[in-house]
Amino acid sequence: MTKGRTTRLRFLVGLLVLLTAVVPGAVGAAPGQPAAGGAAEMLATPTSMGPATFRVYAHREGLVGHTTANGHVIQENDRFVALPCRCVLSSKGGHEFQVKIEYKGRTAIVPVWDVGPWNVDDNYWDPPEKRRYSDIPQGVPQAAAAYYDGHNGGRDGKGREVRSPAGIDIADGTFWHDLGMTDSDWVTVTFLWMLPDEEPELPPLPAGYEHLQTIKFGERPPLDRVEPSGEPGSVYVPQTGHNIIKPIADYWYANGGWRNIGLPLTELFREVTANGRVRLVQYFERQILELVLQPDGSALVQSDLIGYAAYAPQEARAPIAPFESNADHWYFPETQHSLSFGFKQEWLAHGGVEAFGYPITEEFSGVTPDGRRYVAQIFERARFEWWPDKVGTPEEITYGLLVTELLRQAGWVP
């Protein structure tokens, strides 16, 4: 963006905050939305009302029967929202991230269960220094800047022409019934996780773990290389410069090691999540492992359902009709998805549901930036990738570096 454009956009933000939403793939302006360059409508909108509350132009989510980014199958009269950053996606059925929406005297508090529109890494509610698009003021989604001011040549982060300003989608039950909306319109949104709160007093670290770093939500994880700890039973991985303590190393080896879980990207550390939960975690290239200490002193290791944060086309996430499983095709009623042929054999051969979880998409095709074609399928803890140009080699099927991708989107790794 040129200096002139940035100045103009910042001036407009002094009068209002441009926040909107759109169904992914929509063509043209949605009914009721301001047209590009509609300065009169923009200037009539109130300004931001605090560090956590903004005026947002909202669309209806719709898409009944499709699956959201956290695995929820959309129902009629559902109550949730979509925001364009995976960083605030609640777990399936969870309420870790919630927004308060106000519209013409009505109020609703609902969780963030989907990602979109347009971008998947635009935390526009944060100050510029904490977001990828640091040249855009707080409260302005990249799509709105592209639509109104030509940011990125009028295109979103994936290079698509932005045909509608976008910042939030509202599920049907909240849109129609709770708020009484009949068309796209400006609403007031408070991002509840941003509200100031008293600093919680963290519990002391367990005996033997007092040396761990404490990282709060939004802070950079401990990604820097360290020296071997020399701790009995631990494993040092020189490729990434991190140690794996014995309980996690035992789980790592038992569940596929570097092939399934990846190499360690951090040391074990204490993480304070957005909803205040405190846990001991270690980030690997493909999975995040949590160490849960039991009252008897033993340790349990469990893996996050990282697959729900991975991108997949909406049509791949849509549930399919049940069918009777056979040798080549299996149906999983747990997630309403199937598993077939080579991916099924790969899944079975390397740990099955214990290692990867259930499938949460159907197979879908993709093309890398350098033109390589592949077929992928996402599971609760993994993304399988089949490469036609690698048929007959050990790299014919690979697993996506899901955690590395999330860290890259946050700007913490190149």
Side-chain angles (χ1 to χ4, degrees), residues 252-265:
W252 187 69
Y253 282 123
N255 290 276
W258 69 268
R259 193 179 195 280
N260 291 11
I261 299 174
L263 301 178
L265 299 175

Side-chain angles (χ1 to χ4, degrees), residues 245-279:
I245 68 170
K246 187 179 188 311
I248 295 181
D250 291 343
Y251 180 95
W252 187 69
Y253 282 123
N255 290 276
W258 69 268
R259 193 179 195 280
N260 291 11
I261 299 174
L263 301 178
L265 299 175
T266 69
E267 296 294 289
L268 180 68
F269 66 98
R270 178 167 66 170
E271 180 181 66
V272 183
T273 66
N275 63 348
R277 181 173 173 242
V278 180
R279 60 183 193 157

Side-chain angles (χ1 to χ4, degrees), residues 118-414:
W118 297 109
N119 295 298
V120 297
D121 55 0
D122 184 19
N123 51 322
Y124 60 80
W125 43 87
D126 284 331
E129 63 270 18
K130 291 186 177 182
R131 60 185 292 196
R132 171 185 175 184
Y133 302 101
S134 57
D135 57 332
I136 304 176
Q138 182 178 10
V140 180
Q142 188 276 335
Y147 184 76
Y148 285 114
D149 205 52
H151 183 271
N152 194 35
R155 299 183 179 275
D156 69 359
K158 295 180 181 178
R160 299 174 298 183
E161 181 184 359
V162 175
R163 303 292 296 277
S164 169
I168 189 170
D169 288 332
I170 303 174
D172 291 0
T174 301
F175 188 93
W176 280 325
H177 303 298
D178 299 339
L179 299 175
M181 299 180 70
T182 58
D183 209 339
S184 303
D185 203 353
W186 296 95
V187 298
T188 300
V189 178
T190 300
F191 301 91
L192 295 179
W193 62 88
M194 295 176 60
L195 291 177
D197 199 359
E198 293 184 4
E199 190 73 16
E201 183 176 349
L202 299 178
L205 285 161
Y209 298 90
E210 297 90 348
H211 64 286
L212 298 184
Q213 284 185 257
T214 297
I215 303 297
K216 298 177 182 178
F217 175 75
E219 296 179 345
R220 180 180 182 271
L223 297 164
D224 298 327
R225 298 174 67 94
V226 300
E227 296 298 320
S229 67
E231 185 176 336
S234 69
V235 176
Y236 183 73
V237 181
Q239 292 91 334
T240 58
H242 289 290
N243 299 279
I244 312 176
I245 68 170
K246 187 179 188 311
I248 295 181
D250 291 343
Y251 180 95
W252 187 69
Y253 282 123
N255 290 276
W258 69 268
R259 193 179 195 280
N260 291 11
I261 299 174
L263 301 178
L265 299 175
T266 69
E267 296 294 289
L268 180 68
F269 66 98
R270 178 167 66 170
E271 180 181 66
V272 183
T273 66
N275 63 348
R277 181 173 173 242
V278 180
R279 60 183 193 157
L280 305 182
V281 296
Q282 185 164 16
Y283 288 10
F284 291 77
E285 292 172 310
R286 297 181 174 91
Q287 295 186 23
I288 296 175
L289 301 185
E290 179 180 356
L291 182 69
V292 182
L293 301 177
Q294 305 298 305
D296 63 1
S298 62
L300 170 70
V301 178
Q302 57 192 29
S303 175
D304 279 4
L305 303 181
I306 194 70
Y308 286 108
Y311 167 77
Q314 285 288 352
E315 57 269 23
R317 289 194 179 274
I320 66 170
F323 63 85
E324 186 174 347
S325 296
N326 56 49
D328 294 325
H329 309 280
W330 286 4
Y331 179 78
F332 292 86
E334 295 85 353
T335 56
Q336 299 177 280
H337 284 289
S338 65
L339 183 56
S340 303
F341 298 119
F343 280 168
K344 180 175 75 70
Q345 296 305 318
E346 181 75 15
W347 185 81
L348 286 172
H350 295 282
V353 69
E354 293 297 325
F356 305 112
Y358 294 108
I360 58 174
T361 72
E362 296 301 294
E363 295 181 9
F364 59 93
S365 300
V367 182
T368 64
D370 61 358
R372 294 180 66 205
R373 296 186 176 276
Y374 64 94
V375 175
Q377 184 168 15
I378 297 177
F379 300 80
E380 291 178 306
R381 296 185 177 89
R383 182 181 65 232
F384 284 12
E385 303 157 344
W386 176 70
W387 301 92
D389 60 341
K390 296 290 184 178
V391 171
T393 75
E395 296 181 348
E396 180 176 345
I397 294 179
T398 60
Y399 306 153
L401 304 177
L402 299 183
V403 179
T404 301
E405 292 170 7
L406 292 176
L407 292 172
R408 184 174 294 124
Q409 290 170 8
W412 288 322
V413 298

Side-chain angles (χ1 to χ4, degrees), residues 6-30:
T6 301
T7 301
R8 291 197 304 275
L9 190 56
R10 290 183 183 275
F11 172 75
L12 290 173
V13 171
L15 301 175
L16 77 157
V17 178
L18 307 176
L19 306 174
T20 48
V22 66
V23 174
V27 178

